[in-house]
Amino acid sequence: MAVASSEEAQSICSHCDRAIPSSNIDLHFAHCSRNLERCKVCGDMIPRRHAEEHYLNTHAPVACSLCSETMQREILAVHKGENCPQRIVTCDFCEFPLPAIDLAEHQEVCGNRTELCALCNRYIRLRERYNHEIRCNGAPDDVVESSRDVRPAEREPGAPRRQPPPNEFSRRRIIFTIAITGIAVLIGSLFLQRK
């Protein structure tokens, strides 16, 4: 068995740009130029018979399964995770999942709902809750008030606001979630029965 010398002269193939032992360069070049081609997108050497498959699986534009926008395959994952208007996001206030395109409108309404602050006994808009919790001194007021400015004529002085029953918010959320899940299961089963 002959061992090739590491000192053997090398030549660069003009087709694939690889270093080939000089004694084999003619045979290599004939095989290489007949069977391989350089990908016009990535520059990799691809067997000619797999060139189209390589392009389709690696470089061809793809459509987002959520919004049908066409883009390069390399950015599809980022698009679906961060940019797609149809990706599912969660409301900051109620944790309801919905498409990103609908989030701003939903949060505009949802953030205006109020909850009672347990520290100061005032109703606070959900969108203002974080800042309120930072500066709330916890001194309870005698009267439960709204976080918005109220003209004296709108409410009698000292009239208490209606307080929601304990756990009402979380009970409503659970019932709502169960109802939405039930509807989704029903719709899904109807579609599957048709197929």
Side-chain angles (χ1 to χ4, degrees), residues 15-17 37-46 54 59:
H15 186 70
C16 69
D17 295 328
E37 71 179 64
R38 187 174 302 280
C39 174
K40 292 174 179 68
V41 179
C42 67
D44 288 350
M45 294 304 290
I46 309 296
H54 167 78
H59 306 297

Side-chain angles (χ1 to χ4, degrees), residues 6 33 54 59 73 103 120 126:
S6 61
S33 59
H54 167 78
H59 306 297
R73 183 178 305 274
L103 182 64
C120 67
L126 295 181

Side-chain angles (χ1 to χ4, degrees), residues 27 35 41 59 68 78 83 113 116 124 139 149 163 178 180:
L27 183 61
N35 296 309
V41 179
H59 306 297
S68 302
V78 172
N83 303 328
R113 294 182 302 122
L116 184 64
I124 308 299
D149 294 330
Q163 294 185 12
I178 292 169
I180 291 296

Side-chain angles (χ1 to χ4, degrees), residues 5-19:
S5 166
S6 61
E7 301 295 321
E8 187 175 352
Q10 302 271 319
S11 296
I12 302 297
C13 174
S14 61
H15 186 70
C16 69
D17 295 328
R18 289 179 46 205

Side-chain angles (χ1 to χ4, degrees), residues 41-144:
V41 179
C42 67
D44 288 350
M45 294 304 290
I46 309 296
R48 287 188 189 274
R49 66 177 183 263
H50 298 300
E52 185 176 349
E53 178 184 344
H54 167 78
Y55 177 78
L56 293 174
N57 291 336
T58 311
H59 306 297
V62 292
C64 172
S65 61
L66 302 173
C67 69
S68 302
E69 182 181 339
T70 303
M71 66 201 66
Q72 293 300 318
R73 183 178 305 274
E74 297 84 34
I75 63 171
L76 180 63
V78 172
H79 168 78
K80 280 185 166 182
E82 299 175 14
N83 303 328
C84 181
Q86 295 299 325
R87 74 187 184 285
I88 300 300
V89 295
T90 305
C91 172
D92 294 335
F93 306 117
C94 69
E95 298 177 6
F96 182 74
L98 67 161
I101 195 167
D102 299 330
L103 182 64
E105 183 180 344
H106 171 84
Q107 286 190 156
E108 181 66 32
V109 173
C110 195
N112 279 326
R113 294 182 302 122
T114 59
E115 283 186 355
L116 184 64
C117 173
L119 298 174
C120 67
N121 206 31
R122 292 179 59 197
Y123 280 94
I124 308 299
R125 284 190 186 122
L126 295 181
R127 75 174 69 251
E128 298 166 356
R129 180 175 49 192
Y130 178 75
N131 289 332
H132 173 78
E133 289 172 354
I134 291 173
R135 67 175 194 273
C136 181
N137 61 11
D141 294 338
D142 292 334
V143 179
V144 175

